[in-house]
Amino acid sequence: MTIGLICAIPQELATLQSALAETHTDAVAHTRFVTGVLDGHDVVLAGSGMGKVNAAIVATLLADRFGCRTIVFSGVAGGLDPALSIGDVVVADRIVQHDAGVLENERVRTYQPGHAPIINPTDRLGYPVDPELLARVKDRLEGMPLPGQLVYGTVLTGDQYLNCDSTRARLLSELDGTAIEMEGGAVAQVCEAFGLPWLVIRALSDLAGGNALFDFTAFVEQASATSATILRRLLPVL
């Protein structure tokens, strides 16, 4: 069975796509799905485009049409934890969709997607990574030389690009977010529905504050390559 690989934007796709061998391409919906071999492993690589709906479409097709056994998102994110710097890597141990919930007092109170307190209440918040997969990931990455830090933590997903210092501080405080991006939560939700393990790897291209757009432009290619390097290291344990 194959491993499904998702990236959102061309910079994230470039390194992985150039390394694929024995490729075959299928065009489905808005996406090109490239089946091939990456470092000896059968994979299907797809560029989803940005945002949760795009990511959910692609994750669903990888699970249902291509029969992938595991789905991994590789790409960039904005850092929320002030202890992190551009170029550091966050591997999600939990994903929370920060923009799903209840609107109260002109602000979203984050709640589990698909649930509401007065309809089908739940104590859950977010999607944890499969513990056995996470243990294999940590063991495989132990001691790997990297240009920056490698941490495990809560990654937040929402359909907004964060370029705001005050919102960054609030999300860090309220949800203990380590990094923020726009697709991983949807991938996790789809994979849970199909009973598939998933992983989200994010290298920081910016720090999600007032300079995020400038930093993203400067560092997106470097961060994308770092994330792809970690993904390739993990292929044997996926």
Side-chain angles (χ1 to χ4, degrees), residues 101-186:
V102 183
L103 277 170
E104 294 176 335
N105 300 317
E106 301 182 353
R107 179 179 291 181
V108 174
R109 174 164 66 91
T110 303
Y111 208 77
Q112 186 75 348
H115 295 261
I118 61 171
I119 301 172
N120 52 346
T122 180
D123 292 329
R124 292 189 66 196
L125 183 60
Y127 302 88
V129 175
D130 176 76
E132 293 183 2
L133 173 59
L134 187 60
R136 296 196 304 271
V137 166
K138 289 182 176 181
D139 183 65
R140 180 70 177 168
L141 295 181
E142 181 69 28
M144 181 181 178
L146 291 168
Q149 298 182 74
L150 169 64
V151 301
Y152 300 87
T154 297
V155 172
L156 306 184
T157 299
D159 276 312
Q160 307 90 23
Y161 183 89
L162 183 57
N163 190 40
C164 175
D165 288 314
S166 59
T167 303
R168 175 193 181 196
R170 178 175 62 81
L171 292 174
L172 173 66
S173 172
E174 293 180 359
L175 297 174
D176 195 27
T178 303
I180 188 167
E181 38 90 303
M182 300 175 67
E183 297 85 24

Side-chain angles (χ1 to χ4, degrees), residues 13-56:
L13 275 171
T15 302
L16 294 173
Q17 196 159 3
S18 66
L20 280 180
E22 303 175 32
T23 60
H24 169 76
T25 300
D26 295 285
V28 189
H30 67 283
T31 300
R32 293 173 65 249
F33 292 82
V34 183
T35 301
V37 177
L38 180 62
D39 302 335
H41 299 272
D42 294 331
V43 303
V44 182
L45 174 65
S48 64
M50 294 185 295
K52 291 193 291 183
V53 172
N54 282 333

